[in-house]
């Protein structure tokens, strides 16, 4: 525990000693990375990215930076920290930040996959491993979790969040914060969490990354803010702003958003960092006049630290103070928050890391186990007609593993990781080979990897874009794959998006399988060999054909370091899949955005025929996921038929595993308010529990619905309201659950 009083006096003393330039320095964070030789993509036209490391080192020498990001090598971190401390008149160390999104060395499944586990305890464990590795190399702060609600899968960053639902999003956000930070900020193996991007980033128009978001007041409070509120409630020490305009005002310069809402309504007590170059971008947006204006207005809005590649706007803060655009007291408020974070983390006392220990922590085999379990628990069984899965090892004597993603280590890991060890990454093919015992396993890619039309800015880092194989004879390779499939007892076909096609700056105008993957799948299915389809994805893809023609479909996401092992364990039934979709899976891109929690409107009986050319229902509903076992639900009951606003009701239901295997089930509770001061969604998730049930076992699950679950933000009242109404409650295995009951909320 830090001595709060002592910390405050220490900060007072430092601030009293600091010049305005030194204060501006504390509020400025720089990227530090070297572009690999031959890099073709310039991440920021007009900025001298190649000269950036030298620039940063000289800035450190002048004590003019408060934080760095993107360094992960402990020796480098120590070297740069030494430069910072030696270069600072008052010896103030820098904070090291990094995007530890789903692991540092041990790569966990991608965040949307973690959310699909509906297992907050596992998510917390996973992010605790990520934090332990990060802290061991000297990273103090992760730019995670991304808690943006994503309802348009064209937006590539859907993969970084928990999907479409605010309730699930809130639970997952809190679990991640607890995992990253540990019991308190400053825990020896924890890092400061940074829920992002505040706010509304997931609502980018057309799913186009960085484009503006128009979010209604109701959607902002009821949908987009709850995960941030939950992350802050869990103690998140920092928050990152968003790039885009929210309702016409750049989020990073919006004082109402960053101060009134974030600090006022949501009670954020930590510090706020801008997204990369987002303060400079206030000029780009046509909002700020120049960089001094941008710096003054972002700081005035409540953005304590600027994240910059080069030419930081906050380097102009001394000029802004001179010109009376912002007061030195405003700088002091932000400097205090940043220095307090450094003191809480113990960076003054322990600025350097033990490189030997870092190596040990990164190599910890227990971390790989956590990653394997996370991958097993996040897979979603979308279809399993005729019980094709699990595979019977005794009968599957020959297995064909088909598709270029089946044996791609880099793609198995997913986007937003840089520090992985490809050598220890297990692909689907490798997992199947080692799990299948004596079976014969033959593999063929069938087609070459698809490529983006426009490259990704991440392609400048090695290993990112798929390599186009030389001397690849397209027709011969397709024939070879089909022949292998034809001669096998079962074909496992792996399709999806290459990992550079999803994530930041990876929005798409279609959801089709890229390249010739559908053609490959159709050719394999035509052989008559039973097909198991594995999908590697971070968003729903157009699987209409597959859903009609393929017996078994397992969504494995990008499963991480131990992905192949986990997938093989799932395929052979060592574990039963129990993940559930954290988003509505549309049939086609033309339906998006599409959510389960829409409201009822005119002619609801024609909800499925809102388009004349395609059903307006999902291909797979929110919360969907099958099991190797089967579950039955009893009728839910309430402990009280009537409550007044402010009181709580407990809903219980019996769940029975009626199948022959031990398995997990995710019991889900949805509510609907029948009438009141606003139209409320047909269903809203308000409780869930992932439970393990042995074959034949029954268990009662219960959920409490109190003011937090029953209130909504009312755009007319501009406040939270709990309406007197009748509420329907369903408990079941997905968002179409049929067993229900009701209760009443009376007038106050
Ligand atoms: C992303 C942030 C990320 C930052 C630093 C930005 O482009 O939007 O989410 O934390 O880069 O890598």
């Amino acid at each position: 525990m830090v001595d709060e009083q002592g910390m405050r006096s220490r900060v007072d003393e430092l601030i009293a000693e600091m010049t305005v330039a030194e204060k501006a320095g504390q509020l400025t964070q720089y990227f530090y990375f070297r572009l690999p030789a031959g890099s073709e993509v310039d991440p920021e036209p007009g900025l001298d990215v190649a000269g950036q490391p030298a620039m940063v080192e000289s800035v450190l020498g002048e004590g003019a930076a408060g934080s760095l990001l993107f360094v992960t090598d402990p020796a480098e971190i120590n070297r740069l920290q030494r430069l910072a401390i030696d270069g600072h008149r008052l010896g103030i160390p820098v904070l090291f930040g990094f995007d530890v999104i789903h692991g540092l060395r041990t790569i966990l499944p991608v965040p949307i996959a973690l959310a699909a586990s509906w297992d907050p305890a596992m998510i917390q464990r996973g992010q605790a491993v990520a934090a332990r590795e990060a802290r061991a190399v000297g990273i103090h702060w992760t730019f995670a979790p991304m808690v943006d609600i994503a309802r348009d899968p064209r937006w590539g960053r859907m993969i970084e969040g928990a999907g479409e639902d605010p309730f699930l999003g809130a639970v997952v956000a809190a679990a991640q914060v607890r995992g990253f930070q540990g019991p308190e900020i400053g825990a020896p193996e924890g890092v400061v969490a940074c829920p992002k991007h505040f706010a509304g980033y997931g609502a980018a128009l057309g799913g186009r990354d960085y484009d503006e978001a128009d979010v209604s007041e109701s959607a902002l409070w009821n949908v987009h803010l709850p995960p941030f509120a939950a992350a802050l409630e869990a103690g998140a020490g920092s928050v990152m702003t968003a790039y885009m305009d929210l309702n016409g005002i750049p989020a990073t310069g919006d004082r109402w958003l960053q101060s009134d809402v974030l600090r006022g309504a949501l009670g954020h007590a930590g510090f706020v960092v801008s997204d990369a170059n987002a303060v400079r971008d206030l000029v780009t947006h046509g909002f700020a006049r120049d960089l001094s204006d941008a710096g003054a207005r972002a700081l005035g809005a409540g953005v304590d630290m600027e994240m910059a590649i080069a030419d930081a706007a906050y380097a102009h803060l001394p000029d802004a103070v001179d010109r009376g655009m912002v007061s030195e007291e405003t700088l002091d408020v932000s400097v205090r928050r940043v220095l307090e974070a450094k003191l809480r983390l113990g960076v003054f006392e322990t600025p350097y890391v033990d490189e030997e220990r870092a190596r040990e922590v990164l190599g910890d085999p227990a971390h790989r186990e956590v990653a394997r379990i996370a991958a097993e628990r996040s897979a979603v069984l979308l279809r399993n007609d005729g019980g094709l899965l699990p595979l019977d090892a005794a009968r599957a004597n020959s297995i064909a593993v088909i598709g270029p993603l089946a044996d791609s280590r880099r793609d198995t890991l997913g986007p937003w990781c840089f520090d992985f060890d490809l050598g220890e990454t297990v692909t689907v093919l490798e997992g199947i080979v080692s799990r299948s015992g004596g079976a014969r396993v033959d593999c063929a890619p069938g087609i070459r990897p698809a490529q983006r039309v426009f490259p990704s800015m991440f392609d400048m880092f090695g290993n990112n874009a798929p390599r186009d194989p030389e001397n690849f004879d397209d027709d011969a390779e397709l024939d070879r794959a089909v022949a292998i499939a034809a001669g096998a007892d079962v074909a496992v076909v792996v399709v999806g998006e290459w990992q550079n096609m999803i994530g930041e700056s990876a929005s798409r105008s279609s959801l089709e399988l890229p390249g010739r993957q559908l053609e490959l799948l159709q050719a394999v299915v035509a052989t008559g060999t039973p097909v198991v389809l594995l999908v590697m994805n971070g968003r729903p893809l157009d699987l209409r054909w597959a859903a009609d023609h393929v017996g078994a479909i397992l969504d494995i996401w990008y499963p991480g370091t131990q992905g192949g092992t986990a997938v093989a364990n799932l395929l052979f039934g060592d574990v039963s899949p129990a993940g559930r979709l954290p988003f509505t899976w549309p049939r086609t891109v033309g339906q998006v955005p599409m959510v389960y929690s829409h409201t009822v409107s005119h002619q609801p009986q024609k909800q499925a025929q809102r388009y004349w050319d395609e059903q307006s229902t999902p291909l797979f509903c929110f919360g969907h996921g099958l099991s190797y076992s089967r579950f039955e639900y009893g009728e839910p009951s309430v402990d009280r038929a009537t409550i007044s606003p402010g009181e709580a009701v407990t809903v219980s239901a019996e769940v029975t595993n009626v199948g022959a295997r031990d398995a997990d089930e995710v019991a889900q509770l949805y509510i609907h308010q029948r009438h009141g001061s606003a139209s409320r969604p047909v269903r809203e998730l308000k409780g869930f529990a992932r439970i393990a049930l042995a074959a034949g076992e029954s268990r009662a699950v219960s959920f409490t619905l109190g003011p937090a679950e029953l209130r909504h933000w009312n755009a007319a009242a501009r406040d939270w309201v709990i309406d007197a109404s009748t509420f329907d409650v369903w408990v079941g295995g997905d968002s179409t659950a049929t067993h229900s009951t009701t209760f009443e909320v009376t007038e106050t």
Side-chain angles (χ1 to χ4, degrees):
M1 267 313 222
V2 272
D3 155 20
E4 296 285 330
Q5 189 52 45
M7 182 177 71
R8 268 194 291 277
S9 331
R10 178 96 186 267
V11 171
D12 286 341
E13 284 160 23
L14 285 167
I15 291 180
E17 291 264 323
M18 288 165 82
T19 63
V20 175
E22 285 166 346
K23 290 175 184 175
Q26 282 308 299
L27 305 181
T28 309
Q29 178 190 53
Y30 289 105
F31 279 83
Y32 185 91
F33 56 74
R34 292 176 200 285
L35 291 185
S39 304
E40 281 166 19
V41 188
D42 184 343
E44 194 69 33
L47 285 184
D48 178 12
V49 177
Q52 199 255 0
M55 178 279 291
V56 172
E57 291 187 22
S58 102
V59 166
L60 286 180
E62 297 158 10
S67 176
L68 297 184
L69 78 152
F70 250 74
V71 197
T72 57
D73 173 40
E76 267 297 85
I77 284 184
N78 283 340
R79 182 180 72 82
L80 293 165
Q81 186 67 287
R82 206 159 276 123
L83 282 180
I85 292 174
D86 293 350
H88 200 289
R89 195 171 60 85
L90 303 169
I92 301 181
V94 290
L95 272 188
F96 285 92
F98 189 61
D99 294 270
V100 188
I101 306 296
H102 55 115
L104 185 75
R105 180 65 46 82
T106 308
I107 306 302
L108 304 164
V110 291
I112 193 85
L114 294 175
S117 72
W118 298 54
D119 183 354
M122 183 280 284
I123 294 170
Q124 182 174 339
R125 235 176 359 257
Q127 295 300 28
V129 161
R132 182 165 190 256
E133 293 186 356
R135 191 64 191 268
V137 303
I139 293 164
H140 306 110
W141 175 23
T142 178
F143 306 116
M146 189 195 91
V147 305
D148 297 310
I149 295 293
R151 298 186 152 192
D152 186 336
R154 289 173 297 182
W155 190 53
R157 298 195 83 169
M158 172 179 243
I159 191 173
E160 280 180 68
E164 78 180 42
D165 187 70
F167 184 88
L168 179 64
V171 173
V172 172
Q176 296 197 76
V177 169
R178 287 193 296 268
F180 283 130
Q181 294 192 165
E184 63 184 357
I185 293 175
E189 301 205 317
V191 293
V192 177
C194 186
K196 65 187 186 185
H197 306 80
F198 203 74
Y201 183 36
L205 268 187
R208 292 180 296 273
D209 208 2
Y210 313 138
D211 276 4
E212 72 261 43
D214 282 323
V215 176
S216 72
E217 186 174 331
S218 167
L220 185 68
W221 290 93
N222 290 314
V223 177
H224 293 273
L225 295 181
F228 284 99
L232 294 170
E233 182 99 338
S238 69
V239 169
M240 184 185 290
T241 69
Y243 276 127
M244 75 306 142
D245 292 314
L246 175 65
N247 302 332
I249 299 172
T252 301
D254 187 343
R255 190 189 163 85
W256 170 78
L257 186 66
Q258 304 301 341
S259 287
D260 299 357
V261 176
L262 180 59
R263 294 196 182 277
L266 303 191
H268 177 43
F271 63 110
V272 174
V273 67
S274 77
D275 201 343
N277 283 356
V279 178
R280 289 171 48 86
D281 280 349
L282 295 180
V283 178
T284 314
H285 285 245
F287 180 75
R289 191 180 311 124
D290 53 28
L291 289 181
S292 299
D293 188 31
R297 286 167 76 185
L299 192 75
V303 181
D304 302 301
M305 187 181 276
E306 175 187 13
M307 177 187 284
I309 292 184
D311 199 7
Y314 277 14
H316 298 253
L317 283 175
D319 173 59
V321 171
D322 278 351
R323 289 162 62 191
M325 300 161 91
V326 67
S327 72
E328 192 170 346
E329 289 70 42
T330 305
L331 265 76
D332 290 352
V333 171
S334 292
V335 171
R336 173 175 297 282
R337 293 187 185 127
V338 171
L339 291 178
E340 282 192 4
K342 292 183 181 182
L343 285 163
R344 278 186 207 287
L345 281 156
V347 191
F348 280 86
E349 286 68 31
T350 320
Y352 304 110
V353 282
D354 178 342
E355 295 166 33
E356 184 48 44
R357 179 167 179 281
R359 261 187 294 280
E360 277 165 29
V361 171
L362 293 183
D364 191 338
H367 295 185
R368 279 61 179 174
E369 276 299 286
V370 171
R372 175 184 60 77
I373 293 167
E376 289 172 358
R377 294 178 78 82
S378 46
V380 180
L381 185 59
L382 295 173
R383 245 176 92 82
N384 194 18
D385 264 25
L388 182 54
L389 287 178
L391 298 177
D392 181 350
R395 286 175 43 204
N397 293 319
S398 65
I399 304 171
V401 180
I402 308 293
L405 288 167
D407 196 28
S408 166
R409 292 189 173 167
R410 180 64 195 89
D411 291 295
T412 301
L413 297 174
W416 259 129
C417 52
F418 302 95
D419 237 48
F420 47 75
D421 178 353
L422 278 188
E424 66 165 355
T425 303
V426 185
T427 64
V428 168
L429 173 67
E430 291 167 326
I432 291 176
V433 166
S434 48
R435 175 59 185 76
S436 60
R440 169 164 172 194
V441 181
D442 292 309
C443 179
I447 53 172
R448 64 177 76 225
Q451 301 290 342
R452 290 173 54 130
V453 175
F454 303 112
S456 159
M457 67 173 173
F458 296 104
D459 289 350
M460 64 187 175
F461 298 100
N463 281 317
N464 207 57
R467 266 196 301 128
D468 197 17
E470 282 169 31
N471 307 320
F472 191 90
D473 181 333
D474 295 85
D475 293 339
E477 283 293 339
L478 187 62
D479 290 349
R480 187 167 75 88
V482 170
I484 287 174
D489 293 332
V490 61
V492 175
V493 181
V494 187
V495 298
E497 289 184 299
W498 279 262
Q499 62 79 30
N500 74 336
M501 298 175 174
I502 179 93
E504 184 172 353
S505 203
S507 294
R508 282 186 80 186
S509 66
S510 118
L511 297 176
E512 283 164 23
L513 292 172
R516 296 175 68 193
Q517 294 184 98
L518 182 57
E519 191 187 336
L520 172 67
L521 175 65
Q522 289 172 334
V524 171
V525 168
T527 64
T529 299
V531 170
V532 174
L533 186 67
L534 301 180
V535 189
M536 268 179 156
N537 59 322
R539 61 174 136 216
L541 295 169
D542 188 335
L543 291 186
R544 281 177 291 179
W545 189 88
D548 283 343
H549 296 90
V550 179
I553 308 177
L554 181 66
D555 193 337
I556 61 171
W557 314 103
Y558 299 92
T561 302
Q562 283 292 311
T565 310
V567 168
N569 291 347
L570 288 157
L571 290 177
F572 288 97
D574 303 332
V575 278
S576 174
R580 296 290 188 268
L581 289 178
F583 49 69
T584 300
W585 192 303
R587 297 168 188 278
T588 161
V589 73
Q591 291 174 294
V592 307
M594 182 186 216
V595 292
Y596 80 93
S597 54
H598 61 85
T599 55
V600 193
S601 181
H602 186 58
Q603 297 189 338
Q605 72 281 9
K606 292 198 182 156
Q607 191 65 48
Q609 290 133 39
R610 294 295 197 219
Y611 304 112
W612 60 255
D613 61 340
E614 173 61 277
Q615 297 180 61
S616 46
T617 52
L619 187 62
F620 303 112
C621 71
F622 177 83
H624 171 73
L626 304 172
S627 165
Y628 294 157
S629 200
R630 275 189 318 110
F631 298 89
E632 275 176 12
Y633 285 79
E635 294 301 330
S637 63
V638 288
D639 66 337
R640 308 168 62 184
T642 304
I643 59 170
S644 52
E647 291 184 329
V649 56
T650 299
V651 184
S652 308
E654 185 100 337
V655 192
T656 306
N657 180 346
V658 294
R661 287 171 172 268
D662 301 352
D664 283 10
E665 167 69 349
V666 180
Q668 303 164 38
L669 176 145
Y670 295 86
I671 65 167
H672 168 62
Q673 175 181 318
R674 286 196 188 167
H675 52 82
S677 57
S679 313
R680 300 299 303 146
V682 282
R683 290 196 180 193
E684 291 178 279
L685 180 73
K686 291 294 176 182
F688 66 87
R690 178 167 173 150
I691 50 173
L693 289 177
E697 188 184 348
S698 288
R699 185 150 355 132
V701 286
S702 43
F703 306 94
T704 300
L705 299 174
E709 289 76 29
L710 300 177
R711 69 179 191 170
H712 69 270
W713 181 273
N714 188 289
R718 312 204 98 173
D719 204 352
W720 296 106
V721 303
I722 299 178
D723 280 327
S725 188
T726 303
F727 283 81
D728 294 300
V729 201
W730 295 262
V731 180
D734 65 32
S735 59
T736 65
T738 50
H739 295 295
S740 71
T741 184
T742 62
F743 64 91
E744 303 283 328
V745 175
T746 59
E747 304 284 349
T748 325

